[in-house]
């Protein structure tokens, strides 16, 4: 029984504590603080301990520190509801505001951080994990091995799936999905017979009210949304899913610096790729192969390939007759059944369109989830998609590309992050805005997509994209050398490129080669600085040494040195031409050429693109740059019904085997890209990159330069140089060199021209 003296001591301690709090909390009154302290029900020693702690730590009310005596966390929680400056205790391990039942080194930690620091070596698998049960043979078994123990699994009495027994009703085992779900009356909307999504202090909440209570204003973009990803602990605000990016850390598995949104059981960061690779493999219930499991359906465990097959191929349900993905077996109905007919209690209806499908996160079908993700990505500060980006939204939501678009939008690629940043800014996207972010592959990929969808107008001159990056390129050079590079860029590289563009002779690779010439010039000047040489003092020995230390691309320095000499900035230094003045030094032998061609025409194991491109290289000496620019309009049929391909101005007859491969290549479903490329790229409206095609050919054992040389040498032995140039689209001088290699006499061709002059 508590005596009067004890009560007086407790009240005195609470009064002293209220007086200290009143001094530090603006607008607080002692009576209200005393009442709040009494609601926490501290004991006299606890009140004295809190008082001593607050006197020793003046910032304890606002720091969020988890250090302090028992009862302080309850007091801070009560004060935070009335005084905004008071911060609740945060876990010393993860920094999140949650229940802190454990202590480590004098600071409180949550259950999750406690579990990460109390790991054991499993007696079965030998890996570190959370302890679950004692092993009869000694040691402790982790949770994963306990769940995977076949002795703990039984066939479910309702769905037949063999899994851990979650319920037993009249002795019959039931899995987690088939067991009885406790029903509640929602404390938010008052509806009865609801499955509780969460049990809060105010009572159970149904899924609708739970999501409604999670509406927050994003601290970065200002949108009001329920898609809250993480709390910005530094600013004390919420961050929406669109603005949040995973922290870049060193993945504990691959060792690369990558965004790591998850952690292992040991608390180490792991990237999404490695996490997916480490998923345990099980036999798929549909195909029987041992693979990583995508999900568990009434059919059983399903791998990713079978999951996508079920989604793409709906069929009539054996019970209701509706055309839906068939996810279960029904012996009474005599076949496969859809989700609602399988007896599974999970939600199968899309909350947006009402269609029965394999839902994403149990709420939306794939098409609706893609639509929502696209809107979240492209919505501006006004809550609407701008007129500039409506074409891009239509591209993301095309029915034929739903899965590819969903994978893209669910990922976190660089160009998607850049697009999200530009859309959130609200300003119209321009070429100059993209130039400000550099000329990397992600930026150019985004630029090409915006051009394809009409969000950007084509540039009048593609070389204009080189100038914005010039300042960054010369940033580390001394002022005099930076001025030299700027003059070379403005009065030589860009001036000549703009002139070629005005005459209509600018190639698609012109911006790339302009950047390469400028980069090589800067690299050479940087090398001279490192070796304490000035440009005017550079010798031929310096140039030769620099060329020998690097790749063949350094020969592009030839243009800069010629310009520098003409403007009295350097001596007359020589760099050999990167091209080929004489005859080729390496050709495929005839046997190797025909063997490679036979492989392209008959080997079904090769990529179809490699087979067609290899045939064009080995038969007609075409280069990858020209091959990727071929379109379906270049195909034709002559008067005799034979297939032809226009390589330049005139059609060339195709062998039947190669014509069949090209027909197969063009038999893919039609797309909206214009023109219709024979070799479409990943970016809408663009063809395959020529460097990528060359890499595919080399990987398949077809070296482009020797294979092309062998084909041109064989053709030059049969055709005169003018005809060869006209048919294959090469220059007359190049055709003449190949004719010289083949040692062809053109007397017969000239006589034929005299007898039968062209009409």
């Amino acid at each position: 029984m508590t005596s009067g003296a004890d009560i007086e001591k407790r009240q005195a301690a609470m009064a002293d504590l209220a007086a200290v709090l009143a001094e530090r909390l603006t607008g607080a009154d002692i009576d209200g603080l005393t009442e709040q302290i009494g609601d926490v029900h501290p004991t006299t020693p606890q009140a004295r301990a809190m008082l001593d702690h607050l006197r020793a730590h003046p910032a304890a009310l606002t720091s969020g520190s988890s250090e302090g005596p028992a009862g302080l966390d309850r007091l801070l929680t009560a004060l935070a509801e009335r005084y905004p400056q008071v911060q609740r205790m945060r876990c010393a391990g993860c920094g999140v505001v949650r229940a802190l039942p454990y202590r480590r080194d004098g600071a409180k930690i949550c259950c999750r951080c406690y579990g990460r620091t109390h790991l054991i070596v499993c007696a079965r698998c030998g890996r570190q994990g959370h302890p679950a049960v004692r092993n009869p043979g000694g040691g402790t078994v982790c949770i994963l091995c306990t769940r995977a123990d076949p002795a703990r699994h039984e066939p479910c009495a309702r769905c037949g799936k063999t899994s851990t027994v979650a319920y037993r009703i009249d002795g019959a085992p039931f899995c987690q999905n088939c067991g009885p779900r406790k029903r509640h009356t929602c404390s938010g909307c008052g509806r009865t017979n609801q499955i509780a999504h969460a049990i809060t202090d105010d009572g159970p909440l149904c899924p609708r009210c739970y999501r409604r209570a999670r509406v927050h204003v994003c601290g970065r973009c200002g949108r009001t949304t329920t898609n809250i990803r993480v709390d910005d602990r530094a600013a004390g605000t919420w961050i929406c899913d669109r603005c949040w990016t995973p922290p870049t850390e060193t993945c504990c598995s691959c060792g690369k610096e990558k965004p790591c949104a998850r952690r292992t059981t040991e608390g180490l960061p792991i990237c999404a790729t490695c996490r997916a690779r480490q998923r345990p493999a099980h036999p798929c219930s549909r195909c029987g192969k041992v693979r990583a499991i995508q999900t568990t359906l009434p059919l059983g465990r399903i791998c990713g390939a079978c999951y996508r097959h079920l989604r793409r191929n709906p069929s009539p349900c054996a019970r209701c007759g509706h055309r839906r993905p068939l996810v279960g077996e029904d012996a009474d109905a005599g076949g496969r059944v859809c989700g609602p007919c399988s007896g599974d209690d999970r939600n199968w209806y899309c909350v947006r369109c009402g269609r029965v499908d394999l839902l994403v996160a149990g709420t939306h079908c794939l098409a609706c989830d893609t639509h929502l993700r696209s809107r979240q990505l492209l919505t501006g500060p006004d809550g609407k998609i701008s007129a500039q980006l409506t074409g891009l939204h239509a591209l993301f939501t095309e029915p034929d590309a739903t899965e590819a678009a969903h994978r893209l939008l669910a990922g976190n690629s660089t160009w998607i992050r850049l697009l999200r940043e530009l859309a959130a800014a609200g300003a119209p996207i321009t070429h100059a805005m993209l130039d400000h972010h550099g000329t990397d592959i992600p930026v150019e990929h985004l630029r090409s997509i915006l051009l394809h969808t009409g969000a950007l107008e084509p540039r009048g001159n593609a070389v204009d994209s080189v100038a914005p990056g010039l300042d960054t390129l010369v940033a580390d050079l001394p002022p005099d050398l930076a001025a030299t590079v700027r003059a070379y860029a403005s009065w030589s590289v860009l001036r000549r490129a703009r002139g070629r563009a005005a005459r209509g002779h600018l190639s698609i690779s012109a911006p790339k080669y302009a950047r390469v010439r400028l980069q090589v010039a800067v690299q050479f000047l940087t090398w001279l600085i490192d070796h304490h040489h000035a440009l005017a003092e550079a010798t031929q020995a310096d140039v030769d040494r620099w060329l020998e230390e690097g790749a063949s691309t350094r020969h592009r320095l030839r243009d800069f040195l010629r310009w520098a000499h003409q403007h009295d900035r350097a001596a007359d230094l020589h760099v050999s031409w990167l091209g080929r003045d004489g005859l080729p030094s390496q050709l495929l032998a005839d046997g190797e050429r025909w063997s490679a061609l036979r492989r392209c025409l008959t080997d079904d194991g090769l990529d179809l693109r490699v087979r067609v491109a290899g045939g064009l290289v080995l038969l007609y000496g075409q280069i990858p740059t020209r091959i990727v620019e071929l379109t379906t309009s270049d195909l034709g049929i002559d008067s005799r019904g034979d297939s032809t391909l226009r390589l330049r101005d005139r059609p060339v007859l195709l062998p039947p085997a190669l014509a069949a491969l090209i027909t197969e290549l063009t038999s893919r479903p039609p797309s909206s890209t214009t023109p219709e490329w024979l070799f479409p790229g990943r970016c809408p409206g663009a063809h395959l990159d020529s460097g990528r095609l060359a890499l595919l050919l080399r990987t398949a054992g077809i070296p482009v330069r020797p294979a092309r040389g062998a084909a041109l040498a064989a053709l030059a032995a049969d055709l005169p140089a003018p005809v060869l140039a006209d048919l294959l689209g090469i220059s007359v001088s190049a055709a003449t060199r190949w004719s010289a290699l083949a040692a062809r006499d053109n007397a017969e061709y000239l006589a034929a021209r005299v007898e039968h002059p062209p009409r």
Side-chain angles (χ1 to χ4, degrees):
M1 185 174 180
T2 305
S3 64
D6 293 337
I7 295 176
E8 291 180 359
K9 291 181 180 179
R10 179 172 177 269
Q11 291 177 346
M14 291 171 55
D16 294 340
L17 182 59
V20 172
L21 293 175
E23 295 175 358
R24 301 180 184 179
L25 297 178
T26 304
D29 62 286
I30 295 182
D31 293 337
L33 290 173
T34 304
E35 182 180 353
Q36 282 190 288
I37 296 173
D39 293 339
V40 177
H41 303 293
T43 62
T44 303
Q46 287 178 345
R48 289 296 178 189
M50 287 189 284
L51 180 62
D52 295 339
H53 181 79
L54 291 177
R55 288 172 176 172
H57 301 84
L61 295 177
T62 58
S63 64
S65 172
S66 61
E67 296 181 354
L72 181 60
D73 56 339
R74 301 196 307 273
L75 177 61
L76 293 178
T77 301
L79 294 174
E81 295 179 357
R82 183 176 299 181
Y83 305 101
Q85 64 266 41
V86 177
Q87 295 292 320
R88 296 177 58 188
M89 279 191 176
R90 299 181 182 273
C91 173
C94 61
V96 179
V97 176
R98 50 165 59 113
L100 307 175
Y102 299 100
R103 283 186 180 270
R104 183 178 63 193
D105 299 331
K108 291 191 173 186
I109 58 175
C110 62
C111 295
R112 183 180 300 177
C113 294
Y114 177 83
R116 290 174 180 169
T117 57
H118 290 74
L119 302 176
I120 51 94
V121 177
C122 179
R124 293 184 184 175
C125 64
R127 296 179 297 184
Q128 280 192 329
H130 299 291
V133 296
R134 293 283 183 182
N135 190 35
T140 308
V141 181
C142 67
I143 292 178
L144 295 180
C145 290
T146 303
R147 293 174 179 172
D149 188 358
R152 302 172 64 91
H153 295 175
E154 294 183 37
C156 176
R158 175 174 294 178
C159 67
K161 179 180 66 176
T162 301
S163 63
T164 304
V165 178
Y167 305 93
R168 286 191 183 274
I169 302 176
D170 297 332
F174 288 85
C175 66
Q176 183 68 39
N177 292 331
C178 298
R181 303 290 183 89
K182 189 175 182 180
R183 303 286 176 165
H184 301 269
T185 299
C186 177
S187 61
C189 61
R191 292 186 300 169
T192 59
N193 199 28
Q194 298 293 311
I195 297 176
H197 190 88
I199 304 296
T200 66
D201 295 337
D202 297 329
L205 288 178
C206 66
R208 181 187 301 176
C209 293
Y210 177 81
R211 287 191 293 268
R212 186 181 301 156
R214 288 176 57 85
V215 174
H216 295 280
V217 177
C218 176
R220 294 187 182 177
C221 66
R223 292 190 315 130
T224 301
T225 177
T226 60
N227 297 318
I228 295 299
R229 185 67 186 229
V230 70
D231 182 19
D232 188 346
R233 304 180 187 97
T237 57
W238 295 93
I239 300 176
C240 68
D241 184 73
R242 190 177 72 173
C243 296
W244 182 80
T245 54
T248 300
E249 300 180 74
T250 303
C251 175
C252 65
S253 180
C254 62
K256 298 180 180 178
E257 292 285 337
K258 299 175 69 176
C260 299
R262 300 294 186 92
R263 293 183 178 271
T264 63
T265 54
E266 295 85 3
L268 301 176
I270 185 170
C271 65
T273 303
C274 295
R275 185 172 180 272
R277 289 174 180 169
Q278 293 179 6
R279 286 189 300 173
H282 299 279
C284 174
S285 299
R286 183 178 177 274
C287 64
K289 297 180 180 179
V290 179
R291 292 176 172 175
I293 298 303
Q294 173 84 14
T295 187
T296 301
L297 298 175
L299 285 172
R301 289 171 172 162
I302 299 295
C303 66
C306 292
Y307 184 81
R308 291 187 291 272
H309 179 83
L310 291 174
R311 169 179 280 155
R312 295 171 186 165
N313 299 275
S315 301
C317 173
R319 181 176 291 275
C320 66
H322 290 93
R323 192 172 184 83
R324 296 168 174 174
L326 304 183
V327 299
E329 293 277 0
D330 192 332
D332 297 335
R336 296 276 182 92
V337 294
C338 63
C341 297
S342 65
D344 196 295
D345 287 341
R346 77 183 78 177
N347 179 40
W348 299 99
Y349 296 90
C350 175
V351 298
R352 183 172 179 267
C353 66
R355 184 174 63 181
V356 174
D357 205 343
L358 295 172
L359 305 181
V360 178
T363 55
H364 295 89
C365 65
L366 188 67
C368 290
D369 194 70
T370 303
H371 181 90
L372 293 175
R373 287 178 183 270
S374 178
R375 290 199 65 86
Q376 292 173 7
L377 173 67
L378 303 177
T379 299
D382 58 352
K384 300 178 181 179
I385 298 178
S386 64
Q388 184 185 26
L389 299 179
T390 53
L392 188 55
H393 179 63
L395 177 68
F396 285 145
T397 55
E398 283 184 355
D400 294 336
T402 301
E403 287 201 16
H406 189 270
R407 287 196 301 270
L408 184 66
L409 295 172
N412 199 30
S413 58
T414 304
W415 75 270
I416 286 288
R417 292 201 301 270
L418 176 58
L419 176 59
R420 181 181 292 112
E421 176 184 341
L422 296 176
I429 302 175
T430 62
H431 284 288
M433 192 180 295
L434 293 177
D435 293 338
H436 177 71
H437 289 83
T439 57
D440 297 336
I441 293 178
V443 179
E444 295 305 314
H445 183 75
L446 175 58
R447 189 194 306 273
S448 61
I449 290 180
L450 294 175
L451 286 170
H452 172 69
T453 57
L456 287 178
E457 293 293 333
R459 259 182 166 153
N461 186 353
V463 182
D464 291 339
S465 64
V466 179
L470 188 58
D471 292 338
T472 304
L473 186 63
V474 301
D476 297 332
L477 292 178
D480 56 336
L481 293 182
T484 298
V485 175
R486 286 194 179 94
Y488 168 61
S490 301
W491 297 104
S492 179
V493 177
L494 298 180
R495 182 182 180 184
R496 286 179 293 161
R498 291 189 180 107
R500 287 193 296 271
R503 296 190 298 271
H505 297 158
L506 192 68
S507 67
I508 193 173
S509 302
K512 170 187 173 183
Y513 289 118
R515 292 190 191 95
V516 168
R517 286 196 292 269
L518 295 175
Q519 290 169 358
V520 168
V522 171
Q523 291 170 5
F524 178 67
L525 294 176
T526 304
W527 184 87
L528 290 178
I529 294 173
D530 294 340
H531 290 78
H532 308 288
H533 293 308
L535 176 61
E537 301 171 354
T539 64
Q540 186 63 46
D542 294 330
V543 175
D544 294 340
R545 178 183 173 188
W546 185 74
L547 294 175
E548 291 175 357
E549 292 177 354
S552 61
T553 311
R554 293 192 174 188
H555 285 256
R556 302 284 181 191
L557 184 67
R558 169 190 175 98
D559 184 68
F560 172 71
L561 292 181
R562 291 177 62 184
W563 175 87
H565 175 65
Q566 291 173 359
H567 293 77
D568 299 327
R569 299 174 186 257
D572 188 7
L573 304 175
H574 174 73
V575 176
S576 60
W577 186 46
L578 190 58
R580 178 176 294 138
D581 293 316
L583 297 176
S585 58
Q586 183 182 7
L587 298 178
L588 280 184
D590 284 344
E592 294 178 348
R593 173 174 169 249
W594 289 113
S595 176
L597 180 59
R598 188 179 304 109
R599 182 164 167 251
C600 288
L601 298 179
T602 60
D603 189 356
D604 294 334
L606 284 178
D607 187 343
L608 184 58
R609 298 174 298 177
V610 172
R611 298 175 67 185
V612 173
L616 295 176
V617 171
L618 293 163
L619 277 177
Y620 303 107
Q622 296 298 295
I623 57 177
T625 304
R626 187 160 296 170
I627 291 175
V628 296
E629 294 177 352
L630 294 173
T631 65
T632 54
S633 61
D634 294 321
L635 298 173
I637 304 293
D638 62 8
S639 57
R640 295 178 296 179
D642 296 326
S643 298
T644 60
L645 179 66
R646 187 172 61 249
L647 300 177
R648 189 177 185 180
D649 297 327
R650 298 188 180 183
V652 177
L653 188 66
L654 291 175
L658 182 59
L661 293 178
I662 295 179
T663 302
E664 183 180 353
L665 186 65
T666 58
S667 62
R668 60 185 182 274
S671 65
S672 59
T673 56
T674 303
E676 188 69 26
W677 304 109
L678 285 183
F679 296 86
R682 295 180 59 186
C683 184
H687 57 66
L688 182 66
D689 182 69
S690 58
R692 173 63 177 168
L693 181 60
L695 176 62
L696 292 174
L697 290 171
R698 288 197 303 270
T699 305
I702 305 174
V704 176
R705 182 171 292 181
R708 177 176 182 262
L712 291 177
L715 291 171
D718 298 329
L719 298 173
V723 176
L724 187 65
D726 191 36
L727 287 179
L728 302 186
I730 61 177
S731 64
V732 176
S733 60
T736 302
R737 289 200 303 270
W738 286 108
S739 295
L741 176 65
R744 176 180 173 81
D745 185 3
N746 292 331
E748 295 180 3
Y749 170 68
L750 295 176
R753 295 275 292 186
V754 171
E755 285 185 28
H756 306 283
R759 297 177 180 177

